[in-house]
Structure formats: structure tokens, C-alpha cells
Amino acid sequence: MPKQTNGAAPTTAPPTLGAVRKRLEAHGYRPVSARWPFGEPVGPQDAPEVFLVAVPVYDISEDPVAVSCEGGLLKLVLQPAEDAVLGERVRAVLDKHQLTGGPVRVGSDDVRIFPLRFDGYDDFLRKDVLDGVVVLERAISYGQYGRRSARIPLDAEWSQGTLLDTPIDKLPQIDDERLGTLLRELEAIPWQLRVERRPPPRPSRLGFIGRSE
């Protein structure tokens, strides 16, 4: 099971697809193997050209599990920012839009993944904001091989619950309008910081010209 940092007893082994498939499906998710970014493994006779080596068919029930973003799920990735103040402002914007109150995957590199319920029509694949400090992802493009839905692995540590105990309709929600507002506010942060950090103007010496003691 995923390790939790909210008081639950942690374990080290990640959940397998076979062990939690039905539980995740009951919560409204589409569980998939975390090992195969192109979908389930296929036999040599069905292998697409992207597989340089034929993939044998095998039982994927023991594979680590992930959840596909196909069907109303949005993956919000928050990277640590080199500028600590910028990082604080970004988190404040995400908190303001109530996007951080649900389960969060915490990687060993402190990268945080917030699964969100997306109630919109914007068919974007991926949006990188502030040089990748924030990434919003629904799908991954593989060029001529098409696109595949982004995935959220259920390994690592989780805080504020996990997807195993949180139905999709209980996740923080965002739609097209709120997404547009969020992006504008995030992209405005560097400009706001530049204004705040601009040194004050030096006093003009013009006022001293012509003055006598």
C-alpha cells in the first residue's frame, strides 16, 4: 500500500494492479500498470513500431499500479523552486484556489503530485508554468505514435490520504474558467516579485541646484 505521512502505518511495498484494481475502479478511477507508458503489454504479433524489442505477454497483475488521467483527472505537479519566495507565492496561489486539500504524492525529491478532478473541455496535453515549477498534465504526446494519458503512480509517500480511500468526486475540482484564472495568476508572480525587489529610486540632486548656504 502507499505510505502515508498523516499518521497511518506506512509500508514499503507499492500496491500492485491486481491487488487494488477493483477498489480503484469503485472510486471512479482507471487503474493501469505503472510499468507500461503505452498501455498494456502486447504480444510480438501486435507490437507497435515503438517497441524496438518484442514484448512478451505476461500477467500484469503484479505490476505496480498507477491511475490514468483518462476520464476527468488532471495531474498537477509542483516542483521545488530555486527561489524560495517564488515557491511560497506559487503555493499560496494553489491554496487560494483550493487545489491542495486532497491527497498528495510526495516523491523522494520533494516533487508533489496533486490529483485533481477536471470538469472542463480544454483538450490540452500539458502546460508548463514558471519553467516547470508547476506542470498541469492530462496526456503525453509521443509524436507519430499518438498520445497516451498521463499517469499518477501510487507508490512513494502520500499525505492527506491516497487515491485508494478518496473517490474521484471528492478530489479538489477545477474547470476551464478556473484553470485560466490560475494560469494568469501563476504567470504574474515573477513580474510581481521584480516590482517588489526593484531598488528604491535614488534622491534627485536637482533640488540642490541653486541653493546657497
Side-chain angles (χ1 to χ4, degrees):
M1 306 295 283
K3 293 191 294 183
Q4 297 190 43
T5 57
N6 57 358
T11 59
T12 56
T16 62
L17 179 60
V20 297
R21 181 195 292 269
K22 291 184 178 179
R23 186 172 176 183
L24 288 168
E25 290 175 341
H27 284 327
Y29 303 110
R30 181 173 179 264
V32 293
S33 166
R35 187 170 293 170
W36 299 97
F38 292 95
E40 312 299 5
V42 297
Q45 72 280 3
D46 301 318
E49 294 179 3
V50 70
F51 290 119
L52 302 180
V53 179
V55 180
V57 174
Y58 76 102
D59 183 4
I60 63 172
S61 63
E62 295 304 313
D63 280 359
V65 67
V67 168
S68 170
C69 288
E70 181 180 354
L73 203 60
L74 176 63
K75 178 180 178 181
L76 189 158
V77 182
L78 179 61
Q79 306 265 6
E82 294 184 5
D83 184 329
V85 177
L86 183 141
E88 292 173 359
R89 298 288 179 88
V90 167
R91 182 57 189 255
V93 170
L94 298 179
D95 290 344
K96 169 188 169 184
H97 287 271
Q98 301 179 345
L99 301 179
T100 58
V104 51
R105 180 185 183 274
V106 184
S108 58
D109 52 1
D110 202 32
V111 174
R112 297 168 186 266
I113 297 178
F114 298 89
L116 307 177
R117 179 165 54 91
F118 184 62
D119 295 332
Y121 298 97
D122 191 338
D123 193 30
F124 70 88
L125 302 181
R126 176 186 172 109
K127 296 183 186 293
D128 289 69
V129 189
L130 304 176
D131 295 326
V133 173
V134 176
V135 177
L136 297 160
E137 193 171 62
R138 298 197 65 204
I140 302 171
S141 174
Y142 291 98
Q144 63 178 318
Y145 302 109
R147 53 184 279 185
R148 296 293 185 273
S149 294
R151 298 181 173 199
I152 301 174
L154 268 67
D155 59 352
E157 294 187 352
W158 284 74
S159 180
Q160 303 172 169
T162 75
L163 298 185
L164 292 174
D165 50 40
T166 307
I168 191 170
D169 59 1
K170 299 297 183 183
L171 293 177
Q173 178 266 349
I174 191 168
D175 56 23
D176 287 325
E177 182 177 355
R178 291 181 61 206
L179 177 62
T181 302
L182 172 69
L183 293 175
R184 287 191 295 272
E185 292 183 7
L186 289 173
E187 291 166 350
I189 292 175
W191 178 83
Q192 295 167 350
L193 290 178
R194 285 195 296 270
V195 171
E196 294 173 10
R197 291 168 172 174
R198 185 180 300 162
R202 300 179 63 180
S204 173
R205 300 181 60 85
L206 294 177
F208 296 93
I209 297 177
R211 293 181 58 184
S212 57
E213 297 297 335

